[in-house]
Amino acid sequence: MRGWGGVVTSCLRPTLSAGSGRFKTRNMANQIQEGSIHFPFPYTPYSIQKDFMAELYRVLEAGKIGIFESPTGTGKSLSLICGALSWLRDFEQKKQQEEARLLDAGIAPPDHLEGPLPHTSTSQGALDTSESTGEPDWIAQFVQKKEEKDMIDRLRDEQIKRKRREERLQQIRHSAHLKYTAKRMRQEEEEMERLLRLSKEMLAAAGSGQPEEELGREEELVLAEYESDEEKKTVSGAHEEDDEDLEEEHVTKIYYCSRTHSQLMQFVHEVQKSPFGKETRLISLGSRQNLCVNEEVKRLGSVHLINDRCLEMQKNKHEKKNKEEEKVKKRKTETRASCPFYNYEQMQFLRDEALVEVKDIEQLVALGKQAQACPYYGSRFAIPSAQLVVLPYQMLLHAATRHAAGIKLQGQVVIIDEAHNLIDSITSIHSAEISGTQLCQAHSQLSQYMERYRKLLKAKNLMYIKQILYLLEKFVTVLGGNVKQNPNTQSLFQTGAELKTINDFLFQSQIDNINLFKVQRYFEKSMISRKLFGFTMEYSGVSIVPPSKEQSKLAGFQHFLQSLKPGTGAAPSSPSGEDESRPPWLGSPLMQIESFLAALTTANQDGRIIVSRQGSLSQSSLRFLLLNPSVHFAQVVKECRAMIIAGGTMQPVADFREQLLECAGVGRERVVEFSCGHVIPPDNILPIVLCTGPSNQQLEFIFQKRELPQMMDEIGRILCNLCNVVPGGVVCFFPSYEYLHRVQAHWEQSGLLTRLAIKKKIFQEPNRANQVEQVLTEYSKCIKRCSQVKGVMTGALLLSVVGGKMSEGINFSDDLGRCVVMVGMPYPNVKSLELQEKMAYLDQTLPNSPGKSLIENLCMKAVNQSIGRAIRHKQDFASILLLDQRYSRPSILAKLPSWIRDQVEIKATFGPAFAALRKFHREKSDPS
């Protein structure tokens, strides 16, 4: 017999039927038996789906890391669901059967069934132990028997807990009485709170409560006494074991993450439709902004505001409970509100209701409103018992967020979907940027805060505040400014971008003598960013309560804040892309600075600092660039049992292997790559590499040539010819917005745009994201109208940009995308400081100089995402035209998805390419 964490010795192994364990699946007509593994499926799966599920099962069973590629339209989500949950079903059944057998025999497995099972008897084990330690046999046997007894007791406890949990959920599933009881309890509590509130209002009206309320707000803004970790060790050590005992056991589960909430919702809907939809305990996690049901808090809009207000109200709730026992500081309690949805009993009820039936985030929010319980905290209570946890990238990949949410990856399965930009996501999550405006604003706010509460703050708090002020001052000095002056009016003598190592930056800033780890810890424990934010919000208005001496100081503070508003200074505001109507203090600048300081604690070789000086101090910034994303990814890989990295287009996979897995210390033997073909017939796709245009102009859109008039004319001629033979929609991708605008302006001047508009109505990718839906709707309507009318105009032409708003996540199925055209190769800017440093870092740290291939990989990743927009289902068909002779190079062709690469035709001249396109679309549009 073997353990649950080892590597499989055979590809497939016998499993129990789906109906005999915790997972009970629907009686589906399509019960798939791949080898001896049973995969329930909602319909007859494609052969590639069977292969996908079987390989997925093997990877999870062996505890490996799989890179899975399954093109859009091949049912990847359902394959992930049915494959992974089939493995979890079998794993739970085998584990419970083995536990029962061992309990019956009175033998406990080592490490709770996580390692290999014992092959020897108890006496033999005792003998081996005594020989290795030199202890007498009777001592070794006594120790081993005690360990076995403890393990058996723990197994029995877990069995009891599991039974109670399943009974509770079963009872909720089948009993309406519990719901009515919970509802009645809520109504009684609301009535009690209403009466209590009325009583307090009457007492406040009778007395003079105004000064007490003001004093309560003041007390709330003052930092509590701070103790460092060293000082706390002796005190906290005694309570750590008790806290661990109170934690609920985390069952074996699958963490599924994707990039956006809409993608997560689609996945949950697929689970609901799957054979596992009725019995799987699934919980969706999200941010407070997505899950908050308190309208007073939700109205605040800003993420920072919602988080701060939620934490404050939660703290008030805890303080109220303590103050009921201690009647001393009742005054302070009465002045602050607590969240009515943060109710432990109701959140437990929400947790159970959420686990009984699969719900997406919107359904979870609706349940929270109905139950008068917080979905944000209620969903976290459900994590330990859940079998499938659905969450966004940020929550999984950012360690602090992961721990705050109560996510424990030890021995669990992690599935990262839509992972084609996983490296960029990790880099983005752990990078940080602060502007000159934010630095000056934070320094001013913190100075005012310290002056106001100097007499109330303890020595440790004052020391750390002074350190933070010193850091802010030195950061501004590095940029070339003065922290005490308005950043909008400060012109910098030196301009340009400068890249530094972390150590060089610390030395130049003269802050190498400050322990940034302790400062970071102070930020986390004291929550100074939140306190400062509250202080700023309290005194940024017109009415100010303090005495006249303080009032003059705060008036100056308000004036300074006012001067930092966009558009009020002599110099233009920072072009950060933020909403200009939003006051800059809606998110405390100290929060961004906190992130930047945390980034500075990264190892010197893993990151760089970019000092960007742009004319005025307000436009200048300090930016941390993460060079080694694996340093954060390694924590996830190390803890989890197995991992699946999946996507529709994962080519080229070398980046994942080298930058993430190898750098994280993962051996090649643990990595499995799986790529399946498409479900469409091979003749439903026609990919062509075109080397020359209609006028024999060589197609090579390198930076030096692409803006030549003859090159731009050639693109226009190719599109004119295409529009004559391609029905429906044609989507044309350009390497950048700037080049698209130049080409369009040239066509307008030469008359090519008018010629194009005869056959296709021309649409262009909008500048604003909120206009994308409108453009797509009009584009779709035009194509539909043309297909019905059958006039001269045959459809529409959409001009888009690689890496833009329409190159990812947009569905150009059927007539919306009968031909996708790629103009040139969208190489990134090789002169970019960030890219050059990244290339140098890879060359220094990895063999075979992968830095040189990084540019090519980034380019082909973007190409693959764009050309994958067209084929979306089995009956779909489309042609793909790659306009650049460089696509014919073997190294480039190798980085195309296999289902496209295997069908590519390289055409040296335009004539044969045009003939092949005309024949393809004629046969597909009119099969008869």
Side-chain angles (χ1 to χ4, degrees):
M1 192 172 286
R2 46 163 304 185
W4 310 114
V7 177
V8 288
T9 52
S10 60
C11 290
L12 301 171
R13 42 185 309 195
T15 67
L16 301 171
S17 64
S20 61
R22 167 64 187 84
F23 278 94
K24 296 177 184 176
T25 57
R26 303 171 194 170
N27 291 324
M28 304 301 295
N30 302 290
Q31 304 279 346
I32 308 308
Q33 202 84 10
E34 185 66 23
S36 55
I37 301 174
H38 172 65
F39 295 110
F41 214 77
Y43 53 81
T44 303
Y46 304 125
S47 61
I48 59 172
Q49 288 179 310
K50 296 177 187 177
D51 296 341
F52 187 106
M53 289 187 289
E55 188 64 24
L56 178 74
Y57 193 106
R58 284 193 286 266
V59 169
L60 297 185
E61 183 70 4
K64 294 191 175 185
I65 296 170
I67 301 174
F68 280 66
E69 182 182 52
S70 181
T72 305
T74 56
K76 168 170 61 74
S77 295
L78 261 178
S79 301
L80 282 170
I81 291 163
C82 295
L85 290 179
S86 292
W87 172 84
L88 185 61
R89 169 204 68 202
D90 294 346
F91 177 84
E92 285 186 350
Q93 289 171 355
K94 289 181 285 188
K95 184 179 176 182
Q96 288 176 29
Q97 287 179 351
E98 188 62 19
E99 284 177 2
R101 189 189 69 78
L102 291 166
L103 285 171
D104 290 343
I107 301 171
D111 281 341
H112 189 198
L113 296 174
E114 288 300 327
L117 295 176
H119 295 284
T120 56
S121 67
T122 305
S123 59
Q124 180 63 42
L127 184 62
D128 293 343
T129 308
S130 65
E131 287 176 359
S132 60
T133 60
E135 293 176 340
D137 290 353
W138 69 269
I139 293 178
Q141 288 177 359
F142 174 79
V143 170
Q144 182 161 339
K145 284 179 181 177
K146 186 177 183 305
E147 287 175 354
E148 286 183 357
K149 183 180 180 301
D150 291 343
M151 191 67 75
I152 287 170
D153 290 342
R154 196 168 73 187
L155 287 175
R156 287 197 178 115
D157 287 343
E158 286 178 7
Q159 275 192 339
I160 292 166
K161 284 180 185 176
R162 188 190 304 128
K163 190 176 179 182
R164 283 177 182 168
R165 179 177 62 238
E166 294 190 9
E167 283 177 354
R168 186 183 72 235
L169 295 176
Q170 198 69 15
Q171 196 175 11
I172 291 169
R173 189 177 283 114
H174 298 294
S175 174
H177 174 69
L178 286 176
K179 295 182 182 180
Y180 290 128
T181 305
K183 188 175 181 181
R184 191 173 65 251
M185 284 176 65
R186 286 198 305 273
Q187 290 170 343
E188 289 172 1
E189 284 179 8
E190 286 170 10
E191 184 63 17
M192 287 271 296
E193 285 182 11
R194 190 181 69 82
L195 293 172
L196 189 61
R197 191 168 60 249
L198 284 172
S199 302
K200 287 181 179 179
E201 287 172 1
M202 289 171 66
L203 287 170
S208 54
Q210 185 67 19
E212 291 184 354
E213 289 180 7
E214 291 162 6
L215 192 54
R217 285 198 299 271
E218 290 285 289
E219 287 178 14
E220 186 184 336
L221 295 173
V222 178
L223 287 161
E225 186 171 359
Y226 178 73
E227 291 179 344
S228 63
D229 290 345
E230 289 82 358
E231 295 168 323
K232 282 186 175 179
K233 275 179 184 174
T234 53
V235 181
S236 62
H239 303 293
E240 284 176 1
E241 289 184 7
D242 294 339
D243 291 341
E244 287 178 8
D245 289 342
L246 291 171
E247 287 183 9
E248 191 178 348
E249 173 216 359
H250 281 240
V251 302
T252 304
K253 65 179 88 286
I254 295 164
Y255 286 98
Y256 171 91
C257 73
S258 194
R259 289 182 307 114
T260 66
H261 281 291
S262 61
Q263 288 169 343
L264 293 172
M265 282 180 64
Q266 287 172 12
F267 178 81
V268 173
H269 295 159
E270 290 292 327
V271 175
Q272 289 171 333
K273 292 185 289 184
S274 79
F276 296 92
K278 292 293 183 186
E279 297 292 333
T280 302
R281 299 193 301 272
L282 179 148
I283 194 68
S284 295
L285 302 182
S287 64
R288 286 182 176 88
Q289 194 175 32
N290 291 109
L291 289 173
C292 181
V293 290
N294 187 328
E295 289 302 326
E296 177 199 335
V297 177
K298 206 166 183 181
R299 267 198 302 268
L300 298 172
S302 162
V303 180
H304 291 310
L305 281 174
I306 290 172
N307 288 344
D308 287 346
R309 183 62 178 147
C310 175
L311 289 169
E312 179 192 325
M313 294 178 94
Q314 182 192 340
K315 182 186 171 190
N316 295 344
K317 189 86 172 180
H318 292 309
E319 283 184 354
K320 281 191 175 183
K321 290 179 182 177
N322 296 333
K323 298 301 194 304
E324 283 171 7
E325 297 169 6
E326 305 171 15
K327 301 285 185 178
V328 186
K329 293 186 179 179
K330 189 176 176 184
R331 176 196 64 222
K332 181 178 173 183
T333 307
E334 290 175 351
T335 60
R336 294 179 290 173
S338 61
C339 183
F341 297 91
Y342 191 78
N343 179 295
Y344 186 69
E345 288 78 13
Q346 293 309 122
M347 287 191 292
Q348 279 188 315
F349 172 75
L350 181 140
R351 172 201 65 187
D352 293 341
E353 280 288 320
L355 291 174
V356 162
E357 187 180 359
V358 173
K359 292 178 176 63
D360 62 29
I361 278 192
E362 288 181 358
Q363 292 166 330
L364 196 60
V365 168
L367 177 63
K369 289 177 180 176
Q370 181 189 348
Q372 292 288 293
C374 175
Y376 178 78
Y377 286 104
S379 61
R380 276 150 180 72
F381 289 168
I383 293 173
S385 300
Q387 294 164 311
L388 181 56
V389 179
V390 178
L391 69 166
Y393 271 15
Q394 171 81 15
M395 280 191 174
L396 182 86
L397 300 173
H398 191 263
T401 309
R402 191 164 67 239
H403 297 150
I407 294 167
K408 295 186 177 181
L409 298 179
Q410 195 66 46
Q412 311 293 16
V413 170
V414 171
I415 297 176
I416 302 174
D417 201 1
E418 302 298 333
H420 55 271
N421 61 353
L422 178 60
I423 295 171
D424 294 337
S425 295
I426 297 171
T427 304
S428 174
I429 288 168
H430 295 94
S431 295
E433 184 172 13
I434 48 173
S435 67
T437 296
Q438 289 172 326
L439 290 166
C440 291
Q441 190 178 347
H443 189 277
S444 174
Q445 291 177 6
L446 198 55
S447 299
Q448 294 290 336
Y449 178 87
M450 186 178 72
E451 286 302 315
R452 179 166 182 80
Y453 301 119
R454 184 183 288 274
K455 293 177 183 177
L456 298 173
L457 293 170
K458 301 294 182 183
K460 273 279 175 71
N461 281 316
L462 282 171
M463 181 193 78
Y464 278 108
I465 288 173
K466 286 178 180 177
Q467 281 192 352
I468 295 167
L469 286 169
Y470 177 78
L471 290 169
L472 296 174
E473 186 177 345
K474 290 301 177 183
F475 289 158
V476 173
T477 304
V478 166
L479 287 171
N482 188 329
V483 77
K484 293 180 181 177
Q485 295 176 12
N486 188 331
N488 290 319
T489 57
Q490 290 188 64
S491 297
L492 304 182
F493 297 106
Q494 184 183 353
T495 57
E498 194 178 356
L499 192 139
K500 298 179 178 296
T501 65
I502 296 172
N503 286 347
D504 287 346
F505 175 77
L506 296 178
F507 283 122
Q508 186 186 339
S509 306
Q510 298 176 352
I511 60 172
D512 53 298
N513 59 330
I514 291 179
N515 189 329
L516 293 178
F517 289 95
K518 283 190 173 182
V519 175
Q520 183 190 0
R521 192 72 177 156
Y522 177 74
F523 267 105
E524 291 172 5
K525 292 296 181 183
S526 69
M527 295 191 291
I528 187 171
S529 298
R530 232 169 40 81
K531 296 283 185 182
L532 185 62
F533 172 78
F535 167 74
T536 310
M537 293 301 292
E538 185 72 23
Y539 296 113
S540 61
V542 180
S543 100
I544 295 175
V545 201
S548 57
K549 187 176 178 182
E550 299 287 347
Q551 194 162 351
S552 61
K553 290 181 180 178
L554 288 166
F557 171 47
Q558 288 179 47
H559 179 72
F560 181 82
L561 286 177
Q562 193 67 23
S563 74
L564 293 180
K565 281 189 179 181
T568 56
S573 61
S574 172
S576 60
E578 294 179 356
D579 184 2
E580 292 185 357
S581 64
R582 195 185 79 175
W585 57 77
L586 280 188
S588 170
L590 209 57
M591 292 174 186
Q592 279 76 25
I593 290 154
E594 186 178 343
S595 300
F596 183 74
L597 287 171
L600 288 180
T601 61
T602 305
N604 184 57
Q605 70 271 17
D606 292 335
R608 296 290 182 268
I609 305 298
I610 298 171
V611 181
S612 177
R613 303 179 182 94
Q614 303 291 332
S616 72
L617 181 60
S618 63
Q619 294 174 316
S620 303
S621 65
L622 299 172
R623 182 150 63 94
F624 171 78
L625 172 68
L626 181 68
L627 294 177
N628 182 13
S630 71
V631 73
H632 297 285
F633 194 65
Q635 299 170 13
V636 180
V637 173
K638 184 181 177 183
E639 290 179 19
C640 69
R641 169 202 169 92
M643 178 182 288
I644 302 295
I645 302 170
T649 308
M650 298 297 287
Q651 292 291 338
V653 296
D655 286 354
F656 296 100
R657 281 199 317 266
E658 293 166 356
Q659 294 183 46
L660 281 185
L661 301 177
E662 287 180 20
C663 283
V666 178
R668 284 182 176 269
E669 70 283 353
R670 198 187 169 196
V671 181
V672 175
E673 291 178 23
F674 175 86
S675 179
C676 62
H678 214 295
V679 291
I680 59 166
D683 60 353
N684 271 25
I685 182 173
L686 177 63
I688 292 176
V689 175
L690 186 59
C691 300
T692 58
S695 60
N696 289 325
Q697 177 68 47
Q698 191 179 55
L699 299 179
E700 189 176 19
F701 292 90
I702 59 175
F703 189 76
Q704 295 83 354
K705 291 183 182 178
R706 68 183 189 183
E707 291 186 16
L708 294 173
Q710 58 265 36
M711 294 296 284
M712 293 189 280
D713 286 338
E714 203 73 343
I715 301 168
R717 292 190 194 101
I718 291 169
L719 288 177
C720 280
N721 281 284
L722 275 180
C723 291
N724 285 329
V725 297
V726 177
V730 176
V731 185
C732 182
F733 286 101
F734 288 82
S736 68
Y737 285 102
E738 184 187 2
Y739 188 55
L740 167 58
H741 294 149
R742 284 183 183 274
V743 169
Q744 202 169 0
H746 178 77
W747 288 349
E748 198 168 354
Q749 192 176 2
S750 65
L752 266 168
L753 207 62
T754 308
R755 285 172 57 194
L756 279 169
I758 295 171
K759 283 288 185 179
K760 305 282 183 188
K761 185 174 180 180
I762 299 169
F763 293 86
Q764 185 183 326
E765 183 173 314
N767 294 324
R768 294 183 181 178
N770 59 5
Q771 296 175 333
V772 170
E773 195 64 40
Q774 182 187 347
V775 171
L776 286 174
T777 302
E778 291 175 7
Y779 172 76
S780 176
K781 284 180 179 176
C782 175
I783 291 170
K784 190 176 180 180
R785 190 168 56 248
C786 290
S787 67
Q788 292 170 345
V789 173
K790 303 288 184 185
V792 177
M793 188 173 283
T794 59
L797 169 64
L798 180 60
L799 306 177
S800 305
V801 175
V802 177
K805 304 168 192 71
M806 294 185 176
S807 64
E808 191 176 328
I810 304 294
N811 184 349
F812 290 115
S813 63
D814 300 320
D815 278 349
L816 296 182
R818 287 305 181 200
C819 182
V820 176
V821 182
M822 179 65 61
V823 177
M825 297 188 70
Y827 281 108
N829 180 11
V830 286
K831 294 181 180 178
S832 157
L833 274 176
E834 296 97 319
L835 189 57
Q836 288 179 357
E837 197 64 24
K838 182 79 174 178
M839 289 166 63
Y841 172 81
L842 291 174
D843 286 338
Q844 289 165 12
T845 54
L846 293 171
N848 304 322
S849 300
K852 293 176 184 176
S853 60
L854 175 65
I855 298 175
E856 202 170 85
N857 289 348
L858 290 171
C859 168
M860 290 310 295
K861 238 177 232 177
V863 169
N864 292 339
Q865 277 302 305
S866 299
I867 62 179
R869 299 300 95 207
I871 303 291
R872 311 302 283 185
H873 58 84
K874 190 175 182 178
Q875 282 77 38
D876 210 352
F877 66 90
S879 56
I880 297 170
L881 199 55
L882 304 174
L883 304 184
D884 202 303
Q885 65 174 9
R886 290 174 291 176
Y887 283 110
S888 62
R889 295 174 186 170
S891 63
I892 299 293
L893 286 172
K895 291 174 181 177
L896 287 169
S898 58
W899 61 279
I900 294 177
R901 182 176 64 240
D902 295 343
Q903 305 298 321
V904 164
E905 297 179 15
I906 298 171
K907 303 292 185 182
T909 56
F910 182 74
F914 182 71
L917 284 163
R918 183 170 52 193
K919 182 186 176 188
F920 174 82
H921 285 286
R922 186 181 293 161
E923 288 176 355
K924 293 298 171 187
S925 300
D926 187 14
S928 59

